Amino acid sequence: MTTILGIDPGSRKTGFGVIRTEGSAAVYVTSGIIRLPVDQPLGPRLGVLFSSLNSIIDEFRPEELAIEEVFLARNPDSALKLGHARGTAMAACVHRGMDVYEYAARQIKLAVVGTGAATKEQVQHMVKILLKLPAAPKEDAADGLAAALCHLHSNQSLQHIPATARSRGRSR
Amino acid sequence: MTTILGIDPGSRKTGFGVIRTEGSAAVYVTSGIIRLPVDQPLGPRLGVLFSSLNSIIDEFRPEELAIEEVFLARNPDSALKLGHARGTAMAACVHRGMDVYEYAARQIKLAVVGTGAATKEQVQHMVKILLKLPAAPKEDAADGLAAALCHLHSNQSLQHIPATARSRGRSR
């Protein structure tokens, strides 16, 4: 049994989802959104993200982190802000001994929907179907769950992981 | 007595300097450069930065972090990379209960050299003089020490801190 945390970090909120494997099935554990106190300075804002992830790790004990890779950041200012959140999130997980795996957005959509050009709504819908949820999770939480599902699928069928993802993603 | 950690984070290396106040004087404690394993994936790379800062905090017990504020990132790619390092560094410090203070590059140069347009060499030279060092510290370490000195000067003369820096910088 492996427990996987998937996250979709952002400077205002970070979506997360935890799934675990039971045999060959993916089982939903939890998901949600960490909202950062945007009225506070950067230090405490990142502190909230770090400690929230620490609490999630304490409660659900994921061994692996799946996170979307950023290829084309939009502009320097938003890239810096996204970097702050991504760095904090990855440090929180690595600090707790988790392995970090990065996947391109295209890879995640392909794994969950079957096409790398899937819309946000299609991702939400397929996450609901794949995890047998009563309703589609919110967008950010769905993106976290989708990253986790992508990682799980890659694990289950190792021959489908490109060599770059295998070597690059592994933390230790 | 206050112990201040100043850092100059980067995606390849992070300069740091620790100083402490003795009466009205600034006393050099340590400084150096944390080199990230650039041949490794992002997760473990940020893990090295996080745990190196943790060790520095363990050894020297700084209460406050001074860090250069980024106003104009150069391009999205380098901004994202810088953000990863800054986010990791700030999270490491906030996680250990430190307060975070950000200062504009101009403010740091003004505090250390007396002009906001100072060169790197002038900063290195003045850091050597102000801290009575036998030689000028390396550039990144000097930038970390300069940030710490800037913060110390601001603390010592509160009337000179702009209201924005006072309210923005404080972590808790």
Side-chain angles (χ1 to χ4, degrees):
Chain A
M1 196 185 82
T2 306
T3 304
I4 302 165
L5 169 65
I7 58 171
D8 178 32
S11 57
R12 298 176 152 268
K13 52 187 179 171
T14 289
F16 68 91
V18 179
I19 63 174
R20 72 164 186 263
T21 53
E22 272 183 15
S24 64
V27 178
Y28 174 87
V29 177
T30 189
S31 67
I33 293 168
I34 301 165
R35 286 177 201 285
L36 307 195
V38 289
D39 55 330
Q40 286 183 43
L42 184 56
R45 225 183 304 152
L46 298 178
V48 165
L49 176 55
F50 189 93
S51 58
S52 301
L53 285 170
N54 246 340
S55 302
I56 291 165
I57 297 168
D58 277 340
E59 187 167 354
F60 302 103
R61 305 274 164 191
E63 293 105 1
E64 295 170 352
L65 169 70
I67 183 172
E68 190 181 310
E69 196 169 0
V70 181
F71 278 112
L72 286 173
R74 286 164 297 170
N75 67 61
D77 189 49
S78 61
L80 182 72
K81 287 177 177 164
L82 176 60
H84 287 149
R86 288 189 97 236
T88 296
M90 292 174 86
C93 292
V94 173
H95 173 57
R96 297 294 298 270
M98 292 170 63
D99 287 339
V100 174
Y101 298 81
E102 289 187 273
Y103 295 97
R106 217 190 134 68
Q107 259 179 300
I108 296 174
K109 288 174 180 173
L110 187 65
V112 175
V113 183
T115 162
T119 64
K120 290 268 183 194
E121 292 71 25
Q122 286 175 305
V123 170
Q124 285 174 284
H125 177 72
M126 283 310 298
V127 164
K128 169 177 174 281
I129 302 288
L130 289 169
L131 292 172
K132 303 179 179 63
L133 300 174
K138 283 192 182 170
E139 195 181 290
D140 302 277
D143 285 342
L145 288 166
L149 281 165
C150 171
H151 176 54
L152 183 144
H153 291 178
S154 306
N155 261 348
Q156 282 183 338
S157 51
L158 278 172
Q159 71 279 12
H160 290 141
I161 310 179
T164 50
R166 253 203 315 262
S167 60
R168 297 184 59 242
R170 199 135 307 170
S171 261
R172 57 194 64 196
Chain B
M1 197 186 82
T2 306
T3 305
I4 302 166
L5 169 64
I7 59 173
D8 177 32
S11 57
R12 298 177 153 268
K13 51 188 179 171
T14 289
F16 68 91
V18 179
I19 62 174
R20 73 164 186 264
T21 54
E22 272 183 15
S24 63
V27 177
Y28 174 86
V29 177
T30 190
S31 67
I33 293 168
I34 301 165
R35 287 179 199 284
L36 307 195
V38 289
D39 55 329
Q40 284 182 44
L42 185 57
R45 223 182 308 153
L46 297 179
V48 165
L49 177 55
F50 190 93
S51 58
S52 301
L53 285 171
N54 245 340
S55 302
I56 291 165
I57 297 168
D58 276 341
E59 187 168 353
F60 303 102
R61 305 275 163 192
E63 294 105 0
E64 296 171 351
L65 169 70
I67 183 171
E68 189 180 310
E69 197 169 1
V70 181
F71 278 112
L72 286 173
R74 285 164 298 169
N75 67 61
D77 189 49
S78 61
L80 183 72
K81 287 176 178 164
L82 176 61
H84 288 149
R86 289 189 96 234
T88 296
M90 291 174 84
C93 292
V94 173
H95 174 58
R96 297 294 297 270
M98 291 169 64
D99 288 339
V100 174
Y101 298 81
E102 289 186 273
Y103 294 97
R106 215 189 136 67
Q107 257 179 303
I108 296 174
K109 290 175 180 173
L110 188 64
V112 175
V113 183
T115 161
T119 65
K120 289 269 184 194
E121 291 71 26
Q122 286 176 305
V123 169
Q124 284 174 284
H125 177 73
M126 283 310 298
V127 163
K128 170 177 173 279
I129 301 288
L130 288 169
L131 292 172
K132 302 178 180 65
L133 300 174
K138 283 192 182 168
E139 196 182 289
D140 303 277
D143 285 344
L145 288 167
L149 282 166
C150 171
H151 176 55
L152 183 145
H153 290 178
S154 305
N155 260 348
Q156 284 183 337
S157 52
L158 280 172
Q159 71 279 10
H160 291 141
I161 310 178
T164 50
R166 253 204 316 261
S167 60
R168 297 182 60 241
R170 199 136 306 171
S171 261
R172 55 192 66 192

